[in-house]
Amino acid sequence: AQKVTQAQTEISVVEKEDVTLDCVYETRDTTYYLFWYKQPPSGELVFLIRRNSFDEQNEISGRYSWNFQKSTSSFNFTITASQVVDSAVYFCALSEAVNYGQNFVFGPGTRLSVLP
Amino acid sequence: DTGVSQDPRHKITKRGQNVTFRCDPISEHNRLYWYRQTLGQGPEFLTYFQNEAQLEKSRLLSDRFSAERPKGSFSTLEIQRTEQGDSAMYLCASSPPGSGSRELFFGEGSRLTVL
């Protein structure tokens, strides 16, 4: 069965600092998808990125970047020059190739607080 | 707004009462999911529909829970004889058709408090 671990329960940084959120996953499938979601205080989960297991190229989107390493089963998320609006709970998720419900699993989340 | 819509946003009920939540997915999305989220936890899968067919149910879903998606559009989640342990945020998500695992688009959730 697949599993997602986010070892950092809570992180606090001061505005403009860089911060990396860790995600480690377990799966027996060779084809799978990884996701990051943001849950701000308002509560709605917002999709940030989707990555398939065959694409290990790192991705950058503005202040956000993602580092996917199959060798360590990790899919880490870095926010550069953090802002107060980045304060939220961030979830890493894993879905195996077959898009059935049980196979879309979320980690426990990391609460990020960005202090002014 | 063409996002996923959930109703009601908040529900307070007494133990033993029945409650029903409604979800309207994004119109072209054929896949619909229900998740439950408790404080400090990630979303936990409850059930999944592809069009009108309920293809999967979690073991978390006891006999008191039932979900429907009668015409492959909106869905309802009913909880009968609510218990205090049912207090949680109930999240609905939809995803578009296509191969591979597609991202889920979530609604704002329906928060249930059972007194």
Side-chain angles (χ1 to χ4, degrees):
Chain A
Q2 70 273 44
K3 183 180 176 182
V4 175
T5 302
Q6 295 178 257
Q8 304 148 308
T9 306
E10 293 191 37
I11 301 175
S12 286
V13 299
V14 177
E15 207 170 17
K16 297 184 183 173
E17 286 185 5
D18 299 347
V19 59
T20 295
L21 309 181
D22 297 334
C23 172
V24 173
Y25 61 91
E26 294 176 29
T27 178
R28 287 177 289 188
D29 262 13
T30 54
T31 303
Y32 52 88
Y33 298 82
L34 295 163
F35 303 81
W36 276 94
Y37 282 84
K38 174 182 180 180
Q39 189 172 41
S42 59
E44 185 172 345
L45 281 149
V46 176
F47 164 75
L48 296 178
I49 189 170
R50 167 183 180 254
R51 179 61 97 213
N52 76 54
S53 53
F54 298 109
D55 182 3
E56 283 194 77
Q57 197 169 17
N58 291 333
E59 181 155 341
I60 298 175
S61 176
R63 297 184 297 107
Y64 295 172
S65 61
W66 291 270
N67 183 348
F68 176 27
Q69 293 199 341
K70 284 176 79 169
S71 59
T72 56
S73 297
S74 65
F75 186 44
N76 296 338
F77 174 29
T78 297
I79 302 174
T80 302
S82 59
Q83 300 177 1
V84 172
V85 293
D86 296 327
S87 297
V89 182
Y90 291 86
F91 293 96
C92 180
L94 163 70
S95 179
E96 293 174 342
V98 178
N99 189 21
Y100 295 147
Q102 301 269 18
N103 291 330
F104 207 117
V105 174
F106 285 81
T110 297
R111 179 177 299 277
L112 174 65
S113 298
V114 181
L115 307 174
Chain B
D1 189 289
T2 55
V4 177
S5 174
Q6 292 190 245
D7 184 69
R9 294 288 312 283
H10 303 274
K11 179 73 177 178
I12 299 173
T13 191
K14 291 182 180 178
R15 190 175 54 189
Q17 299 295 304
N18 299 343
V19 297
T20 299
F21 300 115
R22 176 181 170 124
C23 171
D24 287 89
I26 295 171
S27 58
E28 62 268 24
H29 288 187
N30 64 334
R31 294 167 174 160
L32 187 147
Y33 303 76
W34 285 98
Y35 280 81
R36 181 170 68 188
Q37 187 178 23
T38 52
L39 203 61
Q41 302 295 319
E44 295 175 296
F45 169 76
L46 293 179
T47 190
Y48 160 68
F49 291 84
Q50 185 161 308
N51 300 312
E52 66 275 10
Q54 187 175 21
L55 296 185
E56 270 196 274
K57 289 172 61 171
S58 165
R59 281 179 232 112
L60 291 175
L61 222 59
S62 75
D63 292 345
R64 298 183 295 105
F65 288 71
S66 62
E68 294 182 344
R69 194 183 183 197
K71 295 182 181 178
S73 55
F74 73 92
S75 175
T76 58
L77 176 68
E78 182 184 16
I79 308 173
Q80 296 182 326
R81 305 181 302 283
T82 52
E83 301 172 356
Q84 287 182 325
D86 298 331
S87 295
M89 178 76 86
Y90 289 86
L91 300 170
C92 178
S94 66
S95 69
S99 61
S101 189
R102 303 299 304 272
E103 60 271 25
L104 305 183
F105 292 83
F106 282 87
E108 293 178 302
S110 293
R111 182 171 295 284
L112 174 64
T113 302
V114 182
L115 303 176

